Amino acid sequence: AVVSTQSGHYGRGRAVCRLAAGRAFSVSSANCAKVSVLGASGGIGQPLSLLLKQSTLIDELSLYDIANTVGVAADLSHIESKAQVKGYVGESELEECLKGSNIVVIPAGMPRKPGMTRDDLFNINAGIAKSLAEACARTCPEAMICIISNPVNSTVPIAAEVYKKAGVYDPKRIFGVTTLDVVRANTFIAELKGTPVEQTQCPVIGGHAGITILPLLSRVEPSVQFTDEERQALTVRIQNAGTEVVEAKAGGGSATLSMAYAGARFAFALLQAMNGAKNVVECSMVDSDVTELPFFSTPLVLGRNGVEKNLGIGTINDFEKEGLEKLKGELNASIEKGIKFANQ
């Protein structure tokens, strides 16, 4: 099921995620794609690659990491689905992995540990994001780039700056994957209100860390009512859901499985749009003029060439307006930090 809105259909990628679990999964695949996963041996990369392997819209799945990728690829290659899988290890094989890619999904980097914020990851992951973006800009400049590596609020601006320097920047093709915030919002709302989780859809705007994550609870479909206490508690839980998983894993990692699902959901939505499906809507952090900030996550209509239309923020209530003003300072600081790093 997909939830229809006046502007499009939310959750196409989510519907594909569910269908992909069955062997009989079928979607028109007139224009099959090469998808590359950078960081494919990691905690997100392996389950993400497993989900992608099941799609009939992918005929080549290219896996890259600094170690263990050949084994991951060999394992996945035994699965009875059409995508041909190949593993690439180390920097010397990165460009061969990327060559001819239509979509590149980047979960590479260090995961969060207890007590760490996403911003604490900056010093490690910013360099990784920059070097991988440079390789993409050289090798597959027209590919759709889906950035999962945290802190997304900084790694998306880093990639954009890299592409600008290379003279190949197309703002419609670089995405910060904020889908997990939408997935969590949908799940938590359905649990609280008893709505069918498959049909529950809540747009989430802003960024992808703490208070920069702003679920628009006034716009949930199907429409539900929240008390002030419910609205406050639910917003905070959605904002801090990543920390909830980090603490539950007690040093054993961060949100890898749910992030893999969310990354696959976004990739499937993008693949469908690139294959001509109409009114495909997902939230993502992109180059934006919706606010005074240069990057911002809002619902987007996806198309053959990436962002077809930015649907903007839309109508929001006073609670959400207050949250919007509160998030701008922190989000802008993270964006500026990424831009500064990219230009060092």
Side-chain angles (χ1 to χ4, degrees):
V2 263
V3 178
S4 80
T5 69
Q6 290 182 343
S7 306
H9 299 283
Y10 281 114
R12 277 189 189 273
R14 162 188 187 181
V16 175
C17 274
R18 292 198 298 273
L19 288 167
R23 185 176 173 187
F25 166 57
S26 65
V27 171
S28 172
S29 52
N31 299 303
C32 282
K34 175 177 178 178
V35 176
S36 294
V37 180
L38 308 186
S41 298
I44 297 169
Q46 288 199 43
L48 172 61
S49 300
L50 173 61
L51 290 168
L52 294 174
K53 175 71 171 83
Q54 298 175 74
S55 173
T56 61
L57 292 175
I58 300 172
D59 57 6
E60 190 174 348
L61 186 59
S62 197
L63 309 182
Y64 170 82
D65 215 318
I66 56 172
N68 305 322
T69 336
V70 172
V72 173
D75 197 354
L76 290 175
S77 72
H78 294 183
I79 292 171
E80 52 184 358
S81 60
K82 65 177 285 188
Q84 297 297 302
V85 187
K86 188 169 181 183
Y88 299 85
V89 181
E91 196 173 339
S92 63
E93 297 186 4
L94 176 55
E95 292 197 5
E96 186 61 31
C97 169
L98 290 170
K99 202 175 292 180
S101 295
N102 303 106
I103 295 176
V104 180
V105 189
I106 309 179
M110 178 181 161
R112 274 205 296 162
K113 295 177 181 174
M116 293 178 75
T117 65
R118 288 183 179 90
D119 203 50
D120 291 333
L121 300 175
F122 182 89
N123 292 332
I124 298 167
N125 289 355
I128 295 170
K130 185 179 179 183
S131 64
L132 294 176
E134 287 169 344
C136 293
R138 283 194 307 270
T139 312
C140 54
E142 294 186 357
M144 307 294 175
I145 307 299
C146 305
I147 300 169
I148 293 172
S149 307
N150 275 314
V152 167
N153 292 354
S154 298
T155 53
V156 171
I158 287 170
E161 289 298 303
V162 165
Y163 271 63
K164 287 175 187 176
K165 281 185 177 180
V168 294
Y169 184 52
D170 181 347
K172 296 179 179 179
R173 293 174 182 264
I174 296 181
F175 301 90
V177 180
T178 61
T179 316
L180 182 52
D181 301 321
V182 175
V183 167
R184 286 167 167 158
N186 296 342
T187 302
F188 300 163
I189 291 163
E191 287 175 353
L192 179 67
K193 292 295 180 179
T195 57
V197 69
E198 299 88 352
Q199 296 172 22
T200 304
Q201 183 61 42
C202 177
V204 180
I205 65 169
H208 182 60
I211 66 163
T212 72
I213 300 165
L214 184 60
L216 301 184
L217 299 178
S218 66
R219 299 246 300 281
V220 174
E221 296 183 15
S223 180
V224 291
Q225 299 301 312
F226 299 96
T227 66
D228 290 346
E229 293 77 14
E230 285 175 335
R231 185 182 299 111
Q232 176 65 33
L234 194 54
T235 298
V236 170
R237 188 182 178 202
I238 293 163
Q239 290 172 337
N240 295 330
T243 302
E244 191 176 303
V245 176
V246 169
E247 290 176 351
K249 288 191 174 182
S254 58
T256 52
L257 302 175
S258 53
M259 184 63 247
Y261 166 85
R265 167 179 159 166
F266 186 79
F268 292 151
L270 200 49
L271 282 163
Q272 287 199 314
M274 291 167 72
N275 271 272
K278 300 299 182 185
N279 301 317
V280 179
V281 179
E282 289 287 346
C283 295
S284 179
M285 185 175 175
V286 295
D287 188 312
S288 173
D289 61 4
V290 165
T291 70
E292 62 271 32
L293 304 182
F295 296 89
F296 201 81
S297 183
T298 45
L300 309 170
V301 179
L302 303 175
R304 291 188 184 275
N305 297 305
V307 179
E308 190 169 279
K309 183 180 180 182
N310 192 323
L311 298 177
I313 294 170
T315 305
I316 58 176
N317 64 22
D318 289 343
F319 178 84
E320 292 155 356
K321 287 175 184 174
E322 184 181 338
L324 176 59
E325 292 310 310
K326 281 182 181 176
L327 72 82
K328 287 180 180 177
E330 182 175 321
L331 180 53
N332 190 53
S334 296
I335 291 168
E336 288 183 350
K337 190 173 183 178
I339 291 171
K340 182 180 178 182
F341 179 87
N343 289 301
Q344 285 175 351

